[in-house]
Amino acid sequence: PYLTPAGPEMTAVAVDPPVAVAGGSRLVTATADDTRFNSSNGVEAFQTVIAAELYVDMPPWNPGAIAVSLDALDGAFDEPVEALSTSVPTTGLAAGRHMIFVRAQDASGNWGPIGAAFLEIEAGPEGTLAGTVTDALTAAPLAAEVTVAGDAVMTDPSTGAYSITIPSGSWTAVASAPGYLTVEGRVQINEDATTTRAFFLTPSPRTLLVDDDDDSPDVRGPWVTALDAIDEPWAVWDTESGTHEPDASDLSSFRNVIWFSGDDFGGQAGPSPIAETGLATWLDSGRCLLLASQDYYRDRGLTSFLNGRFGIGGVTGDVAQTIAVGHGAAFGGLGPYALSFPYPNATDLLSVAATGALAFSGEAGPLAASLDTSYWRTTFWTFGLETLPTPAARATVLDAWRTWCRELPTLDADDDGISNADDCAPLDPATWASPSAARDLRLARGSGTLNWAAPAAPGALSVDYDVLRGSGPDLADASCVAGALLRPTAVDPLEPPINTLWTYAILVRNACGANLGANSDGVPRAAPACP
């Protein structure tokens, strides 16, 4: 015990929610802090937190205690204070109170004091919800998540089947899958019985229409009519006077977003700072955004989002331009259009930054701008589609924008010869795919020298290697022999005790992922990477 104060202290340990039934999972969160010490009688240096682990019902010093790794929420163990989380299965846990023990290790190898929280497993009548999740159009099985009563289960991707045991009662079940609209419905779970529920998920439309006009007046109609005219499937999201804006997760299923505000003004036109953050995250997944708002600048000012994401260097408000002429790769050759407003004309005059490009001009100058990174594309209009003179003109302009957006997946933003759609790191010219496994691992007799061949498909200009050693073929207790090696060779100075089996494996890593190979049955191997 006198050694543990040198390691990170666990704080804010929590199980969310702290009550469950056996068969699901619960999220465990904690913070590992290596800076919590008293320096009044000397100085204690703090180190980076490099690992964290969790135990159920047994502290780590007990024989048979099984460690579950916690993940750093920011994706890497590289700070003296790390927020942590992991999901703990509750399958097999008896009814009653269970203790969750957590601890963390710093770069000096010190394991800190134990933190703990309770997990309560409820006893009582239970039933089963089972069924399938399939594509509503093709009936193909989906890899989906079904959530009910606070627990979640993944379907079998080959059949779409799922089964989950939950307390008896009436619940809302939710089925979701990437690229599909989420479906939910009420289910009645009866004791010792199976309720069957099939979910049919509809593929998400490519385009989301964010209605931010507050219906004063309602200008959604011209946008919808134009999308239908060009046969572009769409979904709509109403911001409800700015109180219900979509975030990055809401946007994630859509490739294109159109956000319009009509005549809305008075502090609410266009996305709020929080919504801008969500849009920025969504754009960074290779997306296309059209923002049409004559009062976005009046209400929000020249935000970093307007400047950095649309290439706009300055704005002169309320110039009231009445003509629109298209320019650039998307809109060149369109117009001129005489703008007609169903509300007072408050269009602006833009100054286009060096990063941006002119999209539309009026009689006074730039009326709209665009920005093309070859990975994501944006355009900002100070006029709405509803101001164009005819339905045909609206459809023509919107079709030009859609065509411009559709080019994105086929472009090669980092010029590495791999199109954006097939490149897992589309902005990194040195990486384009996860690596295949290392080959031909050999251990030289008597020297402890390991050699192996590079992966057949490195997926990058260079990869690095971790050498892992375990006491059995499943590598459940694997430890790090050497990490972040740039050459396919290493030396293990240790030898196994007599009558002891050691298993070695090579983890190949690049910026797109890692590969430890597969067992003889084809199941991918799993083991912790080197810190």
Side-chain angles (χ1 to χ4, degrees):
Y2 62 88
L3 296 175
T4 60
E9 183 175 344
M10 303 300 291
T11 64
V13 183
V15 180
D16 183 27
V19 179
V21 294
S25 62
R26 281 295 179 264
L27 181 68
V28 176
T29 57
T31 298
D33 190 343
D34 201 53
T35 69
R36 290 170 63 91
F37 46 76
N38 190 311
S39 298
S40 59
N41 292 308
V43 177
E44 165 70 17
F46 57 81
Q47 293 86 33
T48 297
V49 177
I50 63 168
E53 55 190 25
L54 168 153
Y55 299 81
V56 180
D57 286 336
M58 280 191 185
W61 54 80
N62 275 24
I66 299 175
V68 177
S69 296
L70 284 97
D71 301 316
L73 283 180
D74 62 2
F77 285 99
D78 55 6
E79 300 289 342
V81 180
E82 290 284 359
L84 311 165
S85 73
T86 194
S87 183
V88 177
T90 62
T91 301
L93 294 181
R97 176 171 284 188
H98 296 264
M99 181 75 81
I100 306 296
F101 298 93
V102 292
R103 67 173 182 170
Q105 186 183 40
D106 65 22
S108 296
N110 301 308
W111 285 102
I114 299 293
F118 287 120
L119 169 61
E120 191 80 27
I121 300 297
E122 286 187 333
E126 296 177 346
T128 300
L129 178 67
T132 57
V133 182
T134 56
D135 186 303
L137 303 180
T138 67
L142 296 178
E145 181 180 74
V146 178
T147 304
V148 60
D151 288 318
V153 65
M154 296 300 297
T155 63
D156 180 338
S158 63
T159 64
Y162 72 92
S163 179
I164 184 169
T165 300
I166 52 177
S168 300
S170 180
W171 303 99
T172 297
V174 180
S176 60
Y180 288 80
L181 298 177
T182 297
V183 172
E184 63 179 50
R186 297 295 291 180
V187 292
Q188 178 64 43
I189 306 300
N190 299 318
E191 182 178 358
D192 298 328
T194 297
T195 299
T196 301
R197 175 62 184 264
F199 291 96
F200 306 96
L201 304 190
T202 302
S204 297
R206 187 169 29 230
T207 297
L208 178 66
L209 196 60
V210 180
D211 184 343
D212 191 28
D213 64 10
D214 294 355
D215 294 342
S216 57
D218 183 356
V219 297
R220 182 193 300 179
W223 292 94
V224 168
T225 300
L227 287 169
D228 289 343
I230 62 175
D231 197 23
E232 174 67 17
W234 53 272
V236 70
W237 181 291
D238 198 314
T239 65
E240 299 173 2
S241 300
T243 62
H244 181 54
E245 295 178 305
D247 59 22
S249 63
D250 298 318
L251 301 171
S252 61
S253 297
F254 301 94
R255 294 212 59 85
N256 309 322
V257 166
I258 298 170
W259 191 307
F260 66 90
S261 68
D263 190 38
D264 183 30
F265 64 94
Q268 300 295 328
S272 68
I274 294 176
E276 287 179 344
T277 299
L279 284 167
T281 300
W282 171 80
L283 278 171
D284 288 338
S285 297
R287 300 296 194 253
C288 196
L289 170 65
L290 189 164
L291 174 56
S293 176
Q294 69 171 12
D295 288 310
Y296 177 55
Y297 169 74
R298 173 194 284 185
D299 285 359
R300 311 289 187 183
L302 184 58
T303 66
S304 58
F305 186 70
L306 190 60
N307 172 253
R309 294 291 179 163
F310 295 99
I312 295 172
V315 181
T316 302
D318 297 346
V319 174
Q321 303 200 65
T322 60
I323 295 174
V325 179
H327 299 272
F331 307 109
L334 300 183
Y337 301 113
L339 303 181
S340 177
F341 291 77
Y343 43 76
N345 181 352
T347 53
D348 301 329
L349 173 64
L350 304 179
S351 172
V352 181
T355 55
L358 180 62
F360 283 94
S361 64
E363 65 271 26
L367 187 65
S370 60
L371 199 156
D372 179 5
T373 69
S374 293
Y375 183 50
W376 52 262
R377 285 175 168 175
T378 60
T379 183
F380 173 70
W381 303 354
T382 69
F383 64 96
L385 190 76
E386 64 275 6
T387 67
L388 294 178
T390 65
R394 297 165 191 161
T396 297
V397 170
L398 214 52
D399 190 45
W401 172 75
R402 180 184 63 171
T403 300
W404 188 57
C405 292
R406 282 182 171 178
E407 294 173 359
L408 277 175
T410 63
L411 299 179
D412 182 7
D414 54 14
D415 200 28
D416 60 4
I418 308 296
S419 66
N420 293 338
D422 300 320
D423 194 335
C424 65
L427 301 180
D428 179 3
T431 310
W432 51 88
S434 296
S436 59
R439 301 168 294 159
D440 302 327
L441 175 61
R442 300 173 184 269
L443 176 62
R445 184 187 300 273
S447 68
T449 300
L450 296 113
N451 293 284
W452 60 91
L461 297 181
S462 64
V463 297
D464 60 56
Y465 306 97
D466 288 351
V467 181
L468 305 175
R469 182 206 318 121
S471 61
D474 62 359
L475 296 169
D477 61 347
S479 59
C480 181
V481 175
L485 301 173
L486 299 180
R487 300 178 59 196
T489 184
V491 176
D492 186 355
L494 302 181
E495 295 182 359
I498 292 176
N499 295 326
T500 300
L501 170 70
W502 278 3
T503 301
Y504 289 95
I506 306 301
L507 180 72
V508 187
R509 299 191 294 193
N510 66 24
C512 280
N515 195 325
L516 195 61
N519 297 320
S520 57
D521 59 3
V523 176
R525 297 190 188 101
C530 291

